[in-house]
Amino acid sequence: MSSRSPKRPSRKGQPEQLEVQQVVRAAQSLGLPAWVWAVVALLVALAVAAFLFASSKQNKPLAGPNATATAAQRPTGNDSGTLAGGQIVVGFTQPTYPEKPANHIHTLDTKLTDFINTAQQSVDIAIYQLDLPDVTQALLDAKGRGCTVRAVTDIDILKDPKENPSFKQLQQVGVTVVGGNPNAIMHDKFVVVDGQAVWTGSWNFTSNDTFRYNNNGLILKSPALAANYTVTFEKMWRDNKFGAQRKPGGTTPQLVIGGVPVASYFAPEDDVAEKIVAKLEGAQTSIEFMAFSFTDDNIGATLLAKAKAGVAVRGVFETTGSDTRFSEYGKLMKAGLDVRQDGNPYLMHHKVFIIDGKTAIIGSFNFSENAEKSNDENLLIMDDPAIAAQFSSEFGRVYEQARNRATKGVAPTEGSGAEQP
């Protein structure tokens, strides 16, 4: 939770009116004829009006014709950064404790709503869970203005009447929603708009994920990256291929977005855990991580080896499940690494590595065998210090909360917005 400065008292009168009055008084003090100061005042007023118009155009929020409120009108946190020449936007949730509607800080939900509202042709959404009214309405509005809207979700979510009211709304207006992966979970969280930009991250589009859990979300404006996600989406939506049924091919793993090298991978077809291990093995000075579920022995062994080689390793585990024999938490802690159980009384839902302060690994991919071999997942590796700094700052907040943790309560069940690793 971030504190926000109180609003300053508003000045009486509009800025352009104040400027004109000042010029008039100055002209009168010099004894100039009335017509002179009148012309000067008019010119100043026109210049100020032009400046204000240009400023309003420059700061206009990214929103479509059906947005219900502008970004300036919505309560948002100061937790995001626009990077890579404006082509990558990073944001985080700001959960409050105890969670109360009056204390909700809107971050990723408003960003995604505005993102969907920019669609003019198409919206493809692959999401494990969806219950946010604003996001659902943005999808309905996109369909209403003639966009092609398609959706993929987990088959168990789609079949559960308590879980899928938003998907039912979409189906009622003619959106085809495909459910898949009956033996594991369709765990992706991404949106492709107009084949030009992608939303992804750790965040499910639910109230709990937004206001209770620590999460991240990104917008990447890149037709090449959008093509990767569209290819994978088509394999699920059109071909009904999920999990291990889906074969690699059709994507371009190595991209450059706004000057930033970005690697794009999908699980299980792209051997994602191997890509993470390879990147971790190159660490020279530091590794930071936040893990909702971390049971992958190879990734754990890599962290132990890097720590032994002198790399500073720090990490925060979601408490739920971290004390089991499957979790890497006990092994790393016993080896003396600076690892902690998180302090969020609900869930710490990130799946993030930050390497040497210049590489960020993010996505839906938990560091687990299920994510590697069974689930539908996506992952990005971004080599950019500014992006890494955003995630390192979030790590600092989560780490400090873990240091000062109280006993965590019982985590919500699957039906109330939590997910399985």
Side-chain angles (χ1 to χ4, degrees):
M1 178 178 178
S2 67
S3 60
R4 302 168 68 193
S5 301
K7 291 185 178 180
R8 295 178 180 178
S10 59
R11 296 172 65 188
K12 294 182 180 180
Q14 297 300 316
E16 60 270 27
Q17 294 172 340
L18 293 171
E19 293 290 347
V20 171
Q21 292 167 3
Q22 291 169 2
V23 171
V24 169
R25 287 195 295 270
Q28 288 174 328
S29 67
L30 294 174
L32 296 175
W35 68 269
V36 173
W37 55 257
V39 170
V40 171
L42 178 61
L43 292 174
V44 170
L46 291 173
V48 171
F51 172 78
L52 292 173
F53 177 77
S55 297
S56 66
K57 295 288 284 183
Q58 182 177 1
N59 297 319
K60 185 177 180 180
L62 189 67
N66 294 291
T68 56
T70 67
Q73 293 169 326
R74 294 171 174 154
T76 59
N78 59 350
D79 64 333
S80 65
T82 301
L83 307 155
Q87 290 186 247
I88 299 177
V89 179
V90 179
F92 304 95
T93 57
Q94 294 187 19
T96 56
Y97 319 109
E99 182 260 332
K100 297 178 181 178
N103 296 333
H104 284 174
I105 299 175
H106 294 267
T107 52
L108 302 186
D109 54 331
T110 58
K111 289 177 175 64
L112 177 59
T113 299
D114 290 344
F115 179 59
I116 295 172
N117 281 333
T118 66
Q120 299 300 314
Q121 299 175 346
S122 64
V123 180
D124 289 337
I125 172 173
I127 184 64
Y128 177 58
Q129 290 174 307
L130 167 65
D131 69 18
L132 288 170
D134 284 355
V135 174
T136 303
Q137 188 60 51
L139 293 167
L140 295 172
D141 289 345
K143 174 70 173 176
R145 63 178 178 268
C147 293
T148 299
V149 179
R150 306 184 297 176
V152 167
T153 189
D154 181 79
I155 186 63
D156 293 331
I157 297 294
L158 189 60
K159 287 182 176 180
D160 188 338
K162 294 181 180 179
E163 289 279 6
N164 75 346
S166 290
F167 294 118
K168 192 175 294 294
Q169 285 182 268
L170 296 176
Q171 290 173 320
Q172 288 172 347
V173 299
V175 174
T176 299
V177 182
V178 174
N181 208 334
N183 298 319
I185 55 175
M186 201 305 299
H187 192 243
D188 280 312
K189 306 109 171 36
F190 69 79
V191 180
V192 182
V193 166
D194 290 343
Q196 298 295 309
V198 175
W199 175 286
T200 189
S202 68
W203 176 64
N204 289 305
F205 308 156
T206 71
S207 179
N208 279 332
D209 267 70
T210 306
F211 303 118
R212 290 185 171 189
Y213 308 162
N214 303 102
N215 274 301
N216 61 80
L218 299 88
I219 298 171
L220 301 101
K221 302 173 185 178
S222 165
L225 183 67
N228 282 356
Y229 278 79
T230 299
V231 165
T232 304
F233 181 90
E234 290 279 2
K235 291 177 182 179
M236 295 186 288
W237 188 88
R238 182 191 62 201
D239 302 335
N240 201 31
K241 300 295 184 184
F242 291 84
Q245 295 178 324
R246 196 171 58 249
K247 304 304 179 185
T251 63
T252 304
Q254 304 299 324
L255 305 168
V256 176
I257 303 175
V260 174
V262 176
S264 165
Y265 301 115
F266 300 89
E269 60 264 44
D270 287 338
D271 298 321
V272 172
E274 291 182 8
K275 308 300 192 302
I276 295 174
V277 167
K279 205 68 179 179
L280 292 172
E281 286 177 340
Q284 299 296 311
T285 59
S286 66
I287 297 172
E288 299 168 329
F289 68 87
M290 299 176 283
F292 174 68
S293 176
F294 186 176
T295 59
D296 188 293
D297 290 339
N298 290 333
I299 296 177
T302 303
L303 294 183
L304 289 171
K306 297 308 295 185
K308 188 175 181 180
V311 173
V313 178
R314 297 194 300 165
V316 178
F317 286 72
E318 160 55 36
T319 300
T320 307
S322 62
D323 285 324
T324 68
R325 63 186 178 89
F326 303 104
S327 176
E328 298 299 305
Y329 171 69
K331 301 174 188 177
L332 300 182
M333 181 180 64
K334 289 177 182 178
L337 275 65
D338 185 2
V339 294
R340 301 174 184 272
Q341 294 174 314
D342 82 290
N344 184 329
Y346 300 110
L347 291 177
M348 197 287 297
H349 195 241
H350 289 301
K351 310 99 168 46
V352 171
F353 278 103
I354 307 114
I355 303 171
D356 293 341
K358 60 184 181 182
T359 296
I361 301 176
I362 67 95
S364 70
F365 188 89
N366 288 306
F367 314 130
S368 69
E369 184 176 359
N370 285 340
E372 172 70 2
K373 297 182 177 179
S374 305
N375 298 344
D376 299 286
E377 309 279 4
N378 66 94
L379 182 111
L380 297 176
I381 301 176
M382 299 174 288
D383 292 314
D384 181 73
I387 294 173
Q390 292 284 321
F391 284 92
S392 189
S393 179
E394 172 69 1
F395 171 82
R397 289 189 288 269
V398 172
Y399 179 84
E400 285 303 311
Q401 190 175 37
R403 287 183 59 187
N404 301 303
R405 72 187 298 268
T407 302
K408 288 188 65 170
V410 178
T413 63
E414 176 79 11
S416 62
E419 67 183 22
Q420 300 300 311

CSV table of all heavy atoms in Angstrom, one decimal, residues 12 27 41 44 96 101 107 115 127 140 157 188 198 222 229 231 255 287 298-299 303 312:
chain,number,residue,atom,x,y,z
A,12,LYS,N,-8.8,29.7,-7.1
A,12,LYS,CA,-10.0,30.2,-7.7
A,12,LYS,C,-9.7,30.7,-9.1
A,12,LYS,O,-8.7,31.4,-9.3
A,12,LYS,CB,-10.6,31.3,-6.9
A,12,LYS,CG,-11.1,30.8,-5.5
A,12,LYS,CD,-11.8,31.9,-4.7
A,12,LYS,CE,-12.3,31.4,-3.4
A,12,LYS,NZ,-12.9,32.5,-2.6
A,27,ALA,N,0.1,46.2,-17.8
A,27,ALA,CA,0.0,47.2,-18.9
A,27,ALA,C,-0.6,48.5,-18.3
A,27,ALA,O,-0.1,49.6,-18.7
A,27,ALA,CB,-0.9,46.7,-20.0
A,41,ALA,N,-3.3,41.1,-24.0
A,41,ALA,CA,-4.1,40.2,-23.2
A,41,ALA,C,-4.7,39.1,-24.0
A,41,ALA,O,-4.7,37.9,-23.7
A,41,ALA,CB,-5.2,40.9,-22.4
A,44,VAL,N,-1.9,36.6,-25.1
A,44,VAL,CA,-1.6,35.8,-24.0
A,44,VAL,C,-2.6,34.7,-23.8
A,44,VAL,O,-2.3,33.5,-23.6
A,44,VAL,CB,-1.3,36.6,-22.8
A,44,VAL,CG1,-1.1,35.6,-21.5
A,44,VAL,CG2,-0.1,37.5,-22.9
A,96,THR,N,-4.3,-4.1,0.2
A,96,THR,CA,-4.4,-3.5,1.5
A,96,THR,C,-4.9,-4.5,2.5
A,96,THR,O,-5.7,-5.5,2.2
A,96,THR,CB,-5.4,-2.3,1.5
A,96,THR,OG1,-6.7,-2.7,1.0
A,96,THR,CG2,-4.9,-1.2,0.6
A,101,PRO,N,-13.6,-3.0,0.5
A,101,PRO,CA,-13.9,-2.2,-0.7
A,101,PRO,C,-13.5,-0.7,-0.6
A,101,PRO,O,-13.0,-0.2,-1.6
A,101,PRO,CB,-15.4,-2.4,-0.9
A,101,PRO,CG,-15.7,-3.7,-0.2
A,101,PRO,CD,-14.7,-3.8,0.9
A,107,THR,N,-5.3,-0.6,-9.8
A,107,THR,CA,-4.1,-0.5,-10.6
A,107,THR,C,-4.2,-1.3,-11.8
A,107,THR,O,-4.6,-0.8,-12.9
A,107,THR,CB,-2.9,-1.0,-9.7
A,107,THR,OG1,-3.2,-2.3,-9.2
A,107,THR,CG2,-2.6,-0.1,-8.6
A,115,PHE,N,-6.7,-0.8,-21.7
A,115,PHE,CA,-6.1,-1.5,-22.8
A,115,PHE,C,-7.1,-2.1,-23.8
A,115,PHE,O,-7.0,-2.0,-25.0
A,115,PHE,CB,-5.1,-2.5,-22.2
A,115,PHE,CG,-4.4,-3.3,-23.3
A,115,PHE,CD1,-3.5,-2.7,-24.2
A,115,PHE,CD2,-4.5,-4.7,-23.3
A,115,PHE,CE1,-2.8,-3.5,-25.1
A,115,PHE,CE2,-3.8,-5.5,-24.2
A,115,PHE,CZ,-3.0,-4.9,-25.1
A,127,ILE,N,-7.3,-16.6,-20.2
A,127,ILE,CA,-7.2,-16.3,-18.7
A,127,ILE,C,-7.8,-17.4,-17.9
A,127,ILE,O,-8.8,-18.0,-18.2
A,127,ILE,CB,-8.0,-15.0,-18.4
A,127,ILE,CG1,-7.8,-14.6,-17.0
A,127,ILE,CG2,-9.4,-15.1,-18.8
A,127,ILE,CD1,-6.4,-14.2,-16.6
A,140,LEU,N,-17.3,-6.9,-23.4
A,140,LEU,CA,-18.6,-6.8,-24.0
A,140,LEU,C,-18.7,-5.5,-24.9
A,140,LEU,O,-19.3,-5.6,-26.0
A,140,LEU,CB,-19.7,-6.7,-22.9
A,140,LEU,CG,-19.8,-7.9,-22.0
A,140,LEU,CD1,-20.8,-7.6,-20.8
A,140,LEU,CD2,-20.4,-9.1,-22.8
A,157,ILE,N,-13.0,-24.3,-14.8
A,157,ILE,CA,-13.5,-23.0,-14.5
A,157,ILE,C,-14.8,-22.8,-15.3
A,157,ILE,O,-15.8,-22.3,-14.8
A,157,ILE,CB,-12.5,-21.9,-14.7
A,157,ILE,CG1,-11.3,-22.0,-13.8
A,157,ILE,CG2,-13.2,-20.5,-14.6
A,157,ILE,CD1,-11.6,-21.8,-12.4
A,188,ASP,N,-2.7,-19.6,-18.4
A,188,ASP,CA,-2.2,-18.4,-19.0
A,188,ASP,C,-3.0,-17.2,-18.5
A,188,ASP,O,-4.2,-17.3,-18.0
A,188,ASP,CB,-2.4,-18.5,-20.5
A,188,ASP,CG,-1.3,-19.2,-21.2
A,188,ASP,OD1,-0.1,-18.9,-20.9
A,188,ASP,OD2,-1.6,-20.1,-22.1
A,198,VAL,N,0.3,-6.8,-26.4
A,198,VAL,CA,0.0,-7.9,-25.5
A,198,VAL,C,0.0,-7.4,-24.1
A,198,VAL,O,0.8,-6.6,-23.6
A,198,VAL,CB,1.1,-9.0,-25.7
A,198,VAL,CG1,0.9,-10.1,-24.6
A,198,VAL,CG2,1.1,-9.6,-27.1
A,222,SER,N,4.0,-4.5,-29.4
A,222,SER,CA,4.9,-5.2,-30.4
A,222,SER,C,4.1,-6.1,-31.2
A,222,SER,O,3.6,-7.2,-30.7
A,222,SER,CB,6.0,-5.9,-29.7
A,222,SER,OG,6.6,-6.8,-30.5
A,229,TYR,N,1.9,-14.7,-29.4
A,229,TYR,CA,0.8,-15.0,-28.5
A,229,TYR,C,-0.4,-15.4,-29.3
A,229,TYR,O,-1.2,-16.3,-28.9
A,229,TYR,CB,0.5,-13.8,-27.6
A,229,TYR,CG,1.4,-13.8,-26.4
A,229,TYR,CD1,2.7,-13.2,-26.5
A,229,TYR,CD2,1.0,-14.3,-25.2
A,229,TYR,CE1,3.5,-13.2,-25.4
A,229,TYR,CE2,1.8,-14.2,-24.1
A,229,TYR,CZ,3.1,-13.7,-24.2
A,229,TYR,OH,3.9,-13.7,-23.1
A,231,VAL,N,-0.4,-17.0,-32.3
A,231,VAL,CA,-0.1,-18.4,-32.7
A,231,VAL,C,-0.5,-19.4,-31.6
A,231,VAL,O,-1.2,-20.4,-31.8
A,231,VAL,CB,1.3,-18.5,-33.1
A,231,VAL,CG1,1.7,-20.0,-33.3
A,231,VAL,CG2,1.6,-17.8,-34.5
A,255,LEU,N,13.2,-11.5,-29.6
A,255,LEU,CA,12.6,-10.3,-30.2
A,255,LEU,C,13.4,-9.1,-29.6
A,255,LEU,O,14.1,-9.2,-28.6
A,255,LEU,CB,11.1,-10.2,-29.9
A,255,LEU,CG,10.2,-11.3,-30.3
A,255,LEU,CD1,8.9,-11.2,-29.6
A,255,LEU,CD2,10.1,-11.4,-31.8
A,287,ILE,N,20.8,-12.4,-7.5
A,287,ILE,CA,19.5,-13.0,-8.0
A,287,ILE,C,18.5,-12.7,-6.9
A,287,ILE,O,18.7,-13.0,-5.7
A,287,ILE,CB,19.6,-14.5,-8.2
A,287,ILE,CG1,20.6,-14.8,-9.2
A,287,ILE,CG2,18.3,-15.1,-8.5
A,287,ILE,CD1,20.9,-16.3,-9.4
A,298,ASN,N,15.8,-28.4,-10.2
A,298,ASN,CA,16.9,-27.9,-11.1
A,298,ASN,C,17.1,-26.4,-10.8
A,298,ASN,O,18.2,-26.0,-10.7
A,298,ASN,CB,16.7,-28.2,-12.5
A,298,ASN,CG,16.8,-29.7,-12.9
A,298,ASN,OD1,17.5,-30.4,-12.2
A,298,ASN,ND2,16.1,-30.2,-13.9
A,299,ILE,N,16.0,-25.7,-10.8
A,299,ILE,CA,16.1,-24.3,-10.5
A,299,ILE,C,16.7,-24.0,-9.1
A,299,ILE,O,17.6,-23.2,-8.9
A,299,ILE,CB,14.8,-23.6,-10.7
A,299,ILE,CG1,14.3,-23.7,-12.2
A,299,ILE,CG2,14.9,-22.1,-10.3
A,299,ILE,CD1,13.0,-23.1,-12.4
A,303,LEU,N,20.3,-22.1,-7.9
A,303,LEU,CA,20.4,-21.0,-7.0
A,303,LEU,C,21.5,-21.4,-5.9
A,303,LEU,O,22.3,-20.5,-5.5
A,303,LEU,CB,19.1,-20.8,-6.3
A,303,LEU,CG,18.0,-20.2,-7.2
A,303,LEU,CD1,16.7,-19.9,-6.4
A,303,LEU,CD2,18.4,-18.9,-7.9
A,312,ALA,N,24.9,-13.1,-4.6
A,312,ALA,CA,23.9,-12.8,-3.5
A,312,ALA,C,22.5,-13.2,-4.0
A,312,ALA,O,22.0,-12.7,-4.9
A,312,ALA,CB,23.9,-11.3,-3.2
